[in-house]
Amino acid sequence: MVTSDIIKKFEMYVDDSSELSPAEELDLANKIYHLICDSKTWEFLKKEATGTINGTYITIPTDFSHLVENYEYTDNSISSQINAKPVFVFVNNTPFQVVNWSDRRRYTNNNNVCYLDIVNSKIVFPVSQSGTYSFDYKFIPADLTLSTEPVFPDIYHEMIAHGMAVDDMIIQIFPKAQSYAAENQIKYNQFMAQMSLWNANLLNY
């Protein structure tokens, strides 16, 4: 479902298409879209970065959110989305464990680790490296346009429309949205639960 169709469903739920401008509706759709994407480490938002390194750092991709597990430490629990299991970056297929930035001084001249310097958009190695690298990360999807679709499956796209309808600003200006806020919230929660279960099933391989 393209975003323009999602917005039409939202307009149907609030029973009015005149209060918000098209640009405001698209901004609201993107607000809910990114809230959904940020809510979990979804499987559909995991990517692999590859390239070459000749020095002490790798520049992270522009769509980088955070590193994800990638070294025989998959968490198959639907309820546990964030945990303390190790994350690795590979150089020439050799794993380098990612350590906390605040602990970096403990690892001077250590050739087994690296750390994320998020302010400078780099993954830093205490010892210079040379070769090919790879690592897995969660990416931040691009904003929706009226003619593009969310990155998750079509059957869950309507969740964005329900989320738009329960936004506090919308409840304040649309009487129907206020009247049906509970119903829209329930539908939003149902879609979220269904997509969470689908996401958990993707981990069972």
Side-chain angles (χ1 to χ4, degrees):
M1 189 186 308
V2 296
T3 308
S4 59
D5 291 330
I6 294 172
I7 290 174
K8 287 176 184 176
K9 284 186 174 291
F10 157 71
E11 292 172 347
M12 179 182 68
Y13 297 149
V14 299
D15 202 25
D16 194 322
S17 60
S18 62
E19 290 287 344
L20 298 183
S21 70
E24 289 171 332
E25 288 179 325
L26 182 58
D27 285 345
L28 179 58
N30 272 301
K31 173 185 176 181
I32 302 304
Y33 176 51
H34 286 294
L35 284 173
I36 293 168
C37 290
D38 290 346
S39 66
K40 298 179 187 294
T41 303
W42 301 104
E43 289 296 293
F44 56 80
L45 292 178
K46 291 181 178 180
K47 289 174 67 173
E48 180 183 26
T50 60
T52 59
I53 179 174
N54 186 18
T56 59
Y57 68 86
I58 296 167
T59 300
I60 61 176
T62 56
D63 62 355
F64 181 91
S65 172
H66 59 264
L67 295 162
V68 296
E69 296 171 6
N70 55 359
Y71 191 61
E72 300 178 359
Y73 287 98
T74 300
D75 181 1
N76 291 330
S77 169
I78 185 175
S79 61
S80 179
Q81 298 297 330
I82 299 175
N83 54 58
K85 292 181 179 177
V87 175
F88 295 84
V89 172
F90 296 84
V91 177
N92 299 324
N93 294 319
T94 299
F96 289 75
Q97 184 172 344
V98 180
V99 297
N100 191 287
W101 182 87
S102 298
D103 295 337
R104 68 194 184 282
R105 294 180 184 86
R106 295 176 54 194
Y107 297 97
T108 302
N109 299 322
N110 187 311
N111 198 29
N112 297 303
V113 303
C114 58
Y115 61 87
L116 178 63
D117 182 353
I118 194 68
V119 173
N120 293 302
S121 300
K122 299 182 187 306
I123 296 173
V124 181
F125 296 80
V127 177
S128 182
Q129 305 296 324
S130 180
T132 59
Y133 70 79
S134 68
F135 60 87
D136 297 341
Y137 71 102
K138 178 184 175 182
F139 77 92
I140 301 170
D143 282 352
L144 297 169
T145 69
L146 292 176
S147 59
T148 59
E149 296 186 0
V151 294
F152 47 83
D154 184 81
I155 58 173
Y156 306 115
H157 289 180
E158 196 169 339
M159 174 169 36
I160 296 175
H162 288 291
M164 294 169 69
V166 296
D167 185 84
D168 184 64
M169 176 188 69
I170 300 304
I171 291 174
Q172 297 303 318
I173 64 177
F174 290 103
K176 184 177 179 181
Q178 185 175 20
S179 299
Y180 287 89
E183 287 82 354
N184 281 314
Q185 186 66 60
I186 289 171
K187 291 298 295 182
Y188 177 88
N189 292 344
Q190 288 174 340
F191 275 113
M192 179 63 77
Q194 290 166 356
M195 194 161 77
S196 296
L197 179 59
W198 168 75
N199 187 73
N201 287 329
L202 292 177
L203 291 167
N204 291 331
Y205 301 117

